[in-house]
Amino acid sequence: MKSPAFSYYQAKDLADAINIKKSDDDSIILAGGQSLLPALNMRLSSPSVLIDIGSINELKKIKVEGSYLIMGAMCSHSQIMNNKEVNEKLPILNKLLAQVAHPAIRNKGTHGGSIAYGDPAAELPAFAVLVNAEIILSGPNGERTVSAKEFYKGLFETAINSDEILTSVKYPINQNGMKLFFDEVTRRHGDYAMAGLVGSIKQNNKINEEINLVFFGTGDRPNEAPKTCEYLLKNEYNYSDIKDILKNDIDFASDVSSSSDMKAHLSAILVGRMMKELN
Amino acid sequence: MDDLNQNPKLGSADRPNSYIGRSVPRERAKKLLEGKGKYVDDILLPRMVHLSYVRSPLAHAKIKSINTENAKNIPGVLDVFTIDDIEKVCSPWQGVLGHLGEMRSPTQYPLAKDVVRWQGEPVAVVVANKRAVAEDASELVEIDYEDLDAQLDMETAMDKSTKVIHDDLGNNLFWTRTVNQGDVSEAFKQSHIVEEVTLDFARHTGVTLETRAIVADWDSSEERMTVYHNGQAPHMMQSIIAKHLNITEGLVRIISCDVGGSFGIKVHVYPDEMVTVAVSKLLKRPVKFVADRLESYSTDIHSRCHKISGKIGVDDKGKILGFEIDDLSGIGPFSVYPRTSAIETNQVLNLSAASYVVPNYKAKGTVVFQNKTPMCQYRAVGHPIAVAITEALVDKAANALGMDRYKFRKINLIPDNSYPTKTPSGVPLEDLSHEACIEKLKKMMNISELEKYKKESLAKGKYKGFSIINMVEVTNPSPAFYGVGGAPISSQDGASIRLEGSGAVHISTSITEQGQGTEAVMQQIAADQLGVKIDTVRVTHGDTDATPYGGGTWASRGAGIGGEAVLKASRKLKENILNIASVIMQSEVNNLDVQNDQVIRKDGGEGISLKDLAQIVYYRGHELPPGTNAELIATASFSIEGIPFVFTNSAMGCLVDVDVDTGLTKIEKFWAVEDCGTQINPKLVEEQIRGGVVQGIGGALYEECIYDEMGNLTNGNMADYLVPMAYEMPDIIVDHVTTNSGRSILGAKGAGEAGTGGAPGAIMNAINDALIPLNTEVTSQPITPEKVLKALGKI
């Protein structure tokens, strides 16, 4: 478990990092290193250069701009959990991040790292898709924005080009009285979920007007479930119907933690919990 | 025994220096917490080189060719070896013993020869100036394999159509044993109720915090091999390395530094460790191998892997008439050297039903080969299986009779006043206290409150269950365990203790320390028995050049056997000190004692410090009358005689919540009452029990080595192999009953394995108690949420 040899480069600023990235297709961005370094040690990846963006201070800021909360890519999970504005404007993030691994990992692991890595079992990518966050990418030709719904392309596959760096994520601060839900089922605290759900409901006079569901730990990327949402707008929650419709929405993929049947079952249970909590 | 009238009574807390029975803080804990422990990987020697093993990616295959040329060309690589090189300096071995009937295990070579038989088996080894370079080069070793069918499932191992792993043996059977006491079929005929169950136990492993590690340093000038090794049995390794590397045994020195956990994982002979020693001999320089976490999962011994069926027959009053088990276990492709892979099954046969009076008992064990990682003894060898099958059947019988589970046990437990007696399988038992333990447990648990809580929860749709179980634990083994079968494993341990010129006391012991507090326990015994302050005592262990000969630390034997040797040596030294003091002080020996590092006169008057006494002896011996026996060093040994093991017993219980939506089990509380005889340090005893329970929880709920249909280990990493973690652990409440062992002055039995042995049965019974209203049960460990939901018919 020793990584293959690589070079290390500490980027002075964003332009510097982009320059290096552009000059070497085999280079890779080092953020918090909580997924990358184990992958290197297990020899699952052998990049030429690690471009450390840890000293670029502009990437470590949390800002409120109008109706958006903007997380710099290098904000650690702990930093976000301890940020007063985040806890006021988007309190669900605190609840969600508390389930991301353990304190030592949350101290090093970064927001941008988790979004960019795109682990299908991770909480943050699913949340970004739920609220359709805007993901800001910087490259040699400047900045572009990709909506989270367009960002995840497949298993660990995202819209980031090889010469781009994810610099920040823009979250709409809860608009129109949308209520948010987060829950997941793990065998041990901090593990990747066997199945997890982030969801939202918009109500008018206690009538559900809009329902959104995004599951994680269930497939090759954050999984939306449009047919299930549609059903829930018209019908009361019913476990077996929901489980059947979810199977139409999502190609549940078994992993070492649980079978696809188990994931479908737990997803249906989570929907039940959400409808109970938010209604 | 040598009971001088100066020897203080054990456990009299009102006298000075009465450390036995007190939770004295241990100094080593501070050292480890400050990160100042010294582990094998901290050893850096001049000219030291590093190894990386090329391991089989396949479960079963022929090796057609190995090409090491490209690997050898990497800068920094010294050489690449295969079995052709290694077998010139290291002979193969065979994991069989002579005392348990016929064992059939073939010769095992230190590197695979012609055939690979499990994924992870070492095939070649790269030697380089750095581990990373060795790993780079490992990727360039080209091995051409021809796939062979893999024999993975223990249940089909003996089928005619199944691939035989070792052609010479004709089939995949390693070992089998039957026990037959009384007439069990007649007993079942006479029974009012007969209950049956079949339980499965997955493979799991030990996951020590510090992985296996070894540094071998061959000095060709002296023909001397020095080995730094984080094992549990230095003298065993000394003997085995001497034998297989053809070195004079006295010239092999094993040094065990700090050891970061062992759990039985580090008491076996591993091919990669033997090869490390061989490479040092070939290259005449120090060689280091530290297993990384990935290779730990596929090469550290695995354990459990049992399918066991059981049957119990009881009369209409609830008296057990007969008990029968049939156990099948899969051990990988080789029986592990030198302890063999038969012992776990042997324990299952010996220990099932062992807490109860069972007039008719029959047991059968079958152990077969598989193309998976070798399996061998791990903490609480066989106990979890024996306890779980016994207690599952006991609960089933009680429930079928409509009898309270506690009452059923009271009727059938071996009474406290009936020792010495034997287990239903015929193994001698003495000094146990099942009745006292279960009484105390019942009070601690407050069973009537638990029944109420269960009922109220059920009304709210919550499924709670609780359990009570009884068990015995094998500790302090005699030569009957291994030595009698031909293994170079000492059942005796020794201690040497000396008073130094400074007044310091120094013990050296053959017992080793793996983090559990061996040093503290030995310090306490010596300080208590000598009458010195605990800070006065230093301990040396884990060095075959510097300690007495002995077995080491395994099978919960350190305190009971090694501690007794320290006690006896301390008493001898005290006798010498008092004899010398009586000359110096012109006083009768009977009027003298040692307290707080001083020889005192019992009738008052001036004493002498041990320091002054020692300095007279060492520096000014001429002041003593000629012929005075002025030895300030004493040595003693101890081993268990007359019985095979010193058994201990425990009663345990737990309360669980089963979430019938997710299948998750939460252990709300766990209780244990154990009887390990004299407790030298109650806090260390309790932490052994708690740590053991946690490891038992791991086996019951989380831990499993998962293989796919090709024999690939699919979860060999810390993310996917779930060890129990602090967040999920319940409060574990521990109490004690004390029945001293009559086999020693100290009276201490072992305490290291009861928790691991008892918790899996306690948890399974509690879950099944919770599931009674739903008319289903779980029978397979680990009890995953998925298995619970399957039992409920939800998936």
Side-chain angles (χ1 to χ4, degrees):
Chain A
M1 281 186 87
K2 302 285 181 198
S3 69
F6 56 80
S7 306
Y8 169 87
Y9 183 81
Q10 189 177 54
K12 290 184 275 294
D13 52 34
L14 190 56
D16 187 28
I18 290 167
N19 259 333
I20 301 290
K21 188 88 186 74
K22 186 184 158 197
S23 70
D24 187 344
D25 272 356
D26 292 331
S27 64
I28 195 163
I29 299 293
L30 173 65
Q34 299 305 290
S35 299
L36 177 61
L37 297 186
L40 293 182
N41 285 342
M42 290 162 93
R43 295 191 174 233
L44 300 173
S45 164
S46 53
S48 53
V49 190
L50 299 195
I51 306 170
D52 184 354
I53 56 171
S55 54
I56 306 176
N57 286 328
E58 60 176 296
L59 300 182
K60 292 180 187 167
K61 291 185 181 141
I62 299 171
K63 288 181 281 192
V64 179
E65 273 181 21
S67 58
Y68 286 95
L69 190 59
I70 304 170
M71 311 284 187
M74 286 303 290
C75 295
S76 74
H77 303 310
S78 300
Q79 183 191 348
I80 292 169
M81 289 174 77
N82 292 319
N83 183 282
K84 198 167 157 246
E85 275 181 316
V86 174
N87 288 333
E88 274 169 19
K89 313 256 188 233
L90 218 48
I92 197 159
L93 267 181
N94 191 300
K95 188 178 169 191
L96 178 150
L97 289 171
Q99 301 303 317
V100 176
H102 306 283
I105 292 170
R106 295 198 293 265
N107 289 341
K108 294 297 286 180
T110 64
H111 198 84
S114 177
I115 295 286
Y117 188 52
D119 191 313
E123 291 84 353
L124 283 175
F127 181 72
V129 170
L130 178 77
V131 299
N132 205 10
E134 290 174 28
I135 293 164
I136 316 298
L137 306 173
S138 290
N141 306 319
E143 230 175 58
R144 69 182 177 113
T145 299
V146 180
S147 76
K149 283 184 197 289
E150 303 297 319
F151 186 71
Y152 294 104
K153 303 286 188 196
L155 190 63
F156 295 104
E157 246 188 84
T158 69
I160 307 177
N161 292 327
S162 69
D163 57 359
E164 287 179 319
I165 296 174
L166 189 157
T167 53
S168 63
V169 184
K170 260 173 99 171
Y171 291 98
I173 296 168
N174 195 10
Q175 60 298 55
N176 309 329
M178 194 77 97
K179 290 195 276 188
L180 297 173
F181 175 85
F182 159 78
D183 199 1
E184 63 180 33
V185 185
T186 60
R187 286 172 68 186
R188 302 178 308 177
H189 180 92
D191 280 347
Y192 285 121
M194 291 185 282
L197 168 64
V198 286
S200 61
I201 293 186
K202 188 177 159 190
Q203 288 180 326
N204 190 357
N205 285 331
K206 297 202 169 170
I207 306 291
N208 294 336
E209 280 192 333
E210 187 186 333
I211 297 179
N212 297 292
L213 302 170
V214 183
F215 294 87
F216 53 96
T218 47
D220 67 349
R221 67 188 92 176
N223 293 124
E224 295 185 84
K227 293 191 185 92
T228 311
C229 296
E230 203 181 298
Y231 174 94
L232 286 167
L233 283 176
K234 293 177 195 149
N235 305 281
E236 284 289 299
Y237 171 80
N238 168 304
Y239 164 81
S240 32
D241 286 356
I242 292 296
K243 189 170 157 185
D244 287 344
I245 302 167
L246 276 170
K247 282 182 178 169
N248 284 326
D249 274 328
I250 299 170
D251 188 10
F252 288 100
S254 54
D255 57 30
V256 74
S257 83
S258 48
S259 67
S260 53
D261 268 357
M262 179 76 172
K263 287 176 184 298
H265 166 79
L266 293 176
S267 298
I269 292 288
L270 287 168
V271 173
R273 286 183 182 175
M274 169 173 151
M275 299 313 287
K276 202 170 159 191
E277 184 180 311
L278 297 190
N279 271 316
Chain B
M1 299 200 174
D2 59 342
D3 206 11
L4 289 172
N5 61 359
Q6 285 85 4
N7 288 326
K9 267 196 173 153
L10 300 178
S12 47
D14 53 343
R15 65 177 172 79
N17 319 118
S18 66
Y19 295 107
I20 294 177
R22 286 210 220 158
S23 297
V24 180
R26 50 176 176 145
E27 51 187 304
R28 178 159 293 263
K30 188 177 170 210
K31 176 180 158 166
L32 297 179
L33 275 173
E34 287 194 3
K36 296 293 193 324
K38 189 171 188 181
Y39 298 90
V40 172
D41 201 23
D42 294 320
I43 304 288
L44 300 171
L45 300 176
R47 302 178 65 245
M48 189 169 76
V49 291
H50 301 262
L51 302 185
S52 166
Y53 285 90
V54 182
R55 297 183 181 278
S56 170
L58 302 170
H60 199 189
K62 264 191 194 142
I63 301 170
K64 290 170 73 184
S65 66
I66 304 176
N67 182 346
T68 60
E69 284 315 304
N70 290 339
K72 282 180 180 167
N73 288 334
I74 296 272
V77 170
L78 280 82
D79 216 329
V80 181
F81 295 121
T82 65
I83 187 60
D84 295 343
D85 312 295
I86 297 298
E87 73 177 334
K88 287 175 192 154
V89 290
C90 181
S91 62
W93 52 83
Q94 207 181 354
V96 297
L97 286 172
H99 65 308
L100 293 170
E102 190 199 6
M103 293 186 190
R104 299 154 20 105
S105 187
T107 301
Q108 184 180 7
Y109 288 84
L111 291 173
K113 188 173 180 169
D114 306 326
V115 177
V116 289
R117 295 185 177 86
W118 87 87
Q119 189 199 52
E121 184 172 7
V123 181
V125 62
V126 178
V127 192
N129 58 356
K130 287 181 188 158
R131 168 77 183 224
V133 172
E135 286 189 28
D136 288 342
S138 292
E139 292 179 351
L140 302 178
V141 173
E142 294 158 24
I143 304 174
D144 192 8
Y145 292 105
E146 181 188 320
D147 265 322
L148 294 172
D149 287 343
Q151 168 4 58
L152 302 169
D153 184 353
M154 64 179 173
E155 292 184 60
T156 56
M158 297 300 290
D159 291 357
K160 285 222 157 55
S161 57
T162 298
K163 174 76 185 171
V164 173
I165 297 174
H166 305 288
D167 294 336
D168 295 353
L169 296 181
N171 61 35
N172 289 316
L173 180 70
F174 162 55
W175 183 72
T176 181
R177 181 190 166 204
T178 52
V179 180
N180 210 342
Q181 304 275 3
D183 184 344
V184 85
S185 9
E186 186 54 33
F188 290 139
K189 273 187 217 155
Q190 303 294 328
S191 293
H192 177 59
I193 281 171
V194 175
E195 288 288 324
E196 294 180 53
V197 74
T198 298
L199 305 179
D200 290 289
F201 297 84
R203 277 175 168 252
H204 55 93
T205 183
V207 198
T208 53
L209 204 52
E210 181 206 20
T211 58
R212 292 187 295 107
I214 185 167
V215 171
D217 184 9
W218 173 247
D219 177 345
S220 55
S221 72
E222 287 187 296
E223 305 241 304
R224 187 171 170 82
M225 184 67 84
T226 303
V227 178
Y228 302 84
H229 183 239
N230 59 2
Q232 300 172 238
H235 283 103
M236 180 194 91
M237 286 306 291
Q238 178 188 43
S239 172
I240 281 168
I241 287 171
K243 179 178 173 185
H244 293 282
L245 276 293
N246 195 24
I247 304 166
T248 304
E249 188 164 327
L251 292 175
V252 176
R253 179 182 183 188
I254 309 290
I255 302 171
S256 292
C257 319
D258 283 311
V259 177
S262 50
F263 315 122
I265 297 297
K266 295 175 178 167
V267 76
H268 310 292
V269 171
Y270 287 93
D272 48 24
E273 295 177 14
M274 293 299 278
V275 170
T276 305
V277 184
V279 171
S280 178
K281 202 171 176 204
L282 281 171
L283 296 182
K284 301 184 175 66
R285 62 194 296 172
V287 179
K288 178 185 277 188
F289 167 66
V290 180
D292 68 29
R293 191 59 72 184
L294 298 178
E295 53 194 348
S296 294
Y297 276 112
S298 65
T299 63
D300 285 5
I301 57 110
H302 291 178
S303 71
R304 318 304 181 221
C305 193
H306 287 257
K307 184 177 199 78
I308 184 166
S309 299
K311 200 168 172 184
I312 192 171
V314 299
D315 70 14
D316 55 356
K317 303 273 189 316
K319 211 63 187 138
I320 300 173
L321 300 180
F323 195 101
E324 183 177 0
I325 56 159
D326 187 350
D327 182 54
L328 174 66
S329 178
I331 56 160
F334 294 100
S335 167
V336 174
Y337 186 60
R339 286 165 196 251
T340 81
S341 305
I343 304 301
E344 175 142 292
T345 295
N346 198 47
Q347 299 280 52
V348 174
L349 270 54
N350 284 344
L351 302 181
S352 292
S355 307
Y356 300 101
V357 177
V358 176
N360 302 286
Y361 178 81
K362 191 175 173 185
K364 183 181 173 211
T366 308
V367 184
V368 298
F369 293 115
Q370 301 161 299
N371 292 117
K372 293 182 179 174
T373 298
M375 195 206 85
C376 199
Q377 285 81 281
Y378 156 68
R379 195 176 193 177
V381 184
H383 292 61
I385 290 102
V387 175
I389 188 75
T390 304
E391 297 298 321
L393 287 169
V394 164
D395 266 16
K396 273 182 174 290
N399 291 340
L401 278 172
M403 190 184 277
D404 176 74
R405 292 173 290 167
Y406 160 78
K407 193 177 159 200
F408 184 91
R409 285 172 169 80
K410 283 283 280 188
I411 292 172
N412 289 291
L413 282 170
I414 298 176
D416 292 357
N417 63 7
S418 59
Y419 298 100
T421 183
K422 286 183 172 176
T423 63
S425 57
V427 183
L429 295 172
E430 57 187 30
D431 307 322
L432 300 182
S433 60
H434 289 299
E435 293 176 312
C437 284
I438 198 172
E439 273 311 307
K440 202 164 201 173
L441 181 77
K442 185 178 172 241
K443 287 205 184 86
M444 274 166 79
M445 290 175 69
N446 199 347
I447 285 178
S448 51
E449 277 300 307
L450 289 179
E451 287 289 3
K452 210 173 120 197
Y453 175 66
K454 224 171 90 176
K455 217 169 148 185
E456 286 169 3
S457 302
L458 189 59
K460 293 179 210 152
K462 301 274 184 207
Y463 294 84
K464 314 273 182 186
F466 72 89
S467 61
I468 312 168
I469 63 117
N470 299 91
M471 65 174 290
V472 296
E473 178 195 351
V474 168
T475 79
N476 297 1
S478 76
F481 214 13
Y482 293 116
V484 67
I489 298 171
S490 175
S491 57
Q492 188 192 74
D493 276 88
S496 174
I497 181 163
R498 63 182 187 258
L499 178 65
E500 301 185 338
S502 65
V505 171
H506 200 122
I507 311 168
S508 58
T509 169
S510 54
I511 298 295
T512 57
E513 164 86 69
Q514 289 110 38
Q516 69 274 69
T518 301
E519 272 189 21
V521 163
M522 300 306 169
Q523 273 177 313
Q524 284 179 247
I525 295 168
D528 184 288
Q529 293 296 300
L530 275 175
V532 301
K533 294 174 193 155
I534 196 131
D535 305 343
T536 304
V537 184
R538 322 294 322 155
V539 184
T540 294
H541 54 82
D543 182 345
T544 54
D545 267 14
T547 69
Y549 200 87
T553 301
W554 43 272
S556 297
R557 63 190 298 286
I561 296 176
E564 181 75 1
V566 169
L567 179 141
K568 289 170 70 182
S570 302
R571 288 186 171 190
K572 279 191 194 171
L573 177 61
K574 185 176 171 189
E575 188 182 347
N576 291 1
I577 288 168
L578 291 181
N579 283 331
I580 297 163
S582 82
V583 172
I584 296 169
M585 295 163 76
Q586 301 290 307
S587 169
E588 289 291 311
V589 168
N590 286 346
N591 187 37
L592 300 177
D593 198 3
V594 183
Q595 286 184 359
N596 286 326
D597 300 7
Q598 307 280 326
V599 181
I600 58 151
R601 293 175 199 268
K602 290 179 186 169
D603 59 2
E606 206 182 334
I608 181 174
S609 72
L610 291 181
K611 179 179 175 183
D612 289 346
L613 179 141
Q615 294 194 347
I616 291 170
V617 169
Y618 291 124
Y619 309 155
R620 305 190 303 280
H622 61 282
E623 292 178 8
L624 296 170
T628 306
N629 179 4
E631 284 184 21
L632 291 177
I633 184 163
T635 295
S637 299
F638 183 68
S639 69
I640 295 292
E641 289 170 7
I643 42 165
F645 316 102
V646 175
F647 278 96
T648 75
N649 64 285
S650 315
M652 297 184 194
C654 78
L655 172 68
V656 300
D657 172 271
V658 180
D659 181 330
V660 296
D661 284 338
T662 59
L664 289 170
T665 297
K666 180 179 160 60
I667 301 173
E668 297 192 352
K669 212 162 236 184
F670 198 101
W671 297 268
V673 178
E674 64 75 48
D675 184 349
C676 66
T678 300
Q679 295 176 63
I680 297 152
N681 184 321
K683 187 166 266 177
L684 290 179
V685 169
E686 291 187 2
E687 293 319 304
Q688 281 297 311
I689 300 295
R690 290 199 179 93
V693 167
V694 166
Q695 237 160 352
I697 291 173
L701 297 182
Y702 299 110
E703 298 187 50
E704 179 174 10
C705 301
I706 303 171
Y707 283 86
D708 68 12
E709 67 283 1
M710 303 295 287
N712 299 308
L713 180 63
T714 60
N715 67 334
N717 63 72
M718 292 299 292
D720 296 324
Y721 180 97
L722 308 185
V723 294
M725 308 243 309
Y727 197 94
E728 282 72 34
M729 290 307 105
D731 283 345
I732 300 166
I733 300 153
V734 182
D735 206 343
H736 313 273
V737 167
T738 304
T739 313
N740 286 2
S741 166
R743 296 283 160 182
S744 62
I745 303 166
L746 189 58
K749 309 170 189 170
E753 301 170 84
T756 309
I763 292 162
M764 192 158 73
N765 277 13
I767 292 174
N768 285 333
D769 186 43
L771 295 179
I772 285 176
L774 298 163
N775 220 358
T776 187
E777 64 178 357
V778 287
T779 55
S780 168
Q781 298 196 4
I783 305 163
T784 62
E786 198 151 346
K787 286 177 189 168
V788 171
L789 292 175
K790 276 191 179 142
L792 291 167
K794 296 202 172 178
I795 57 169

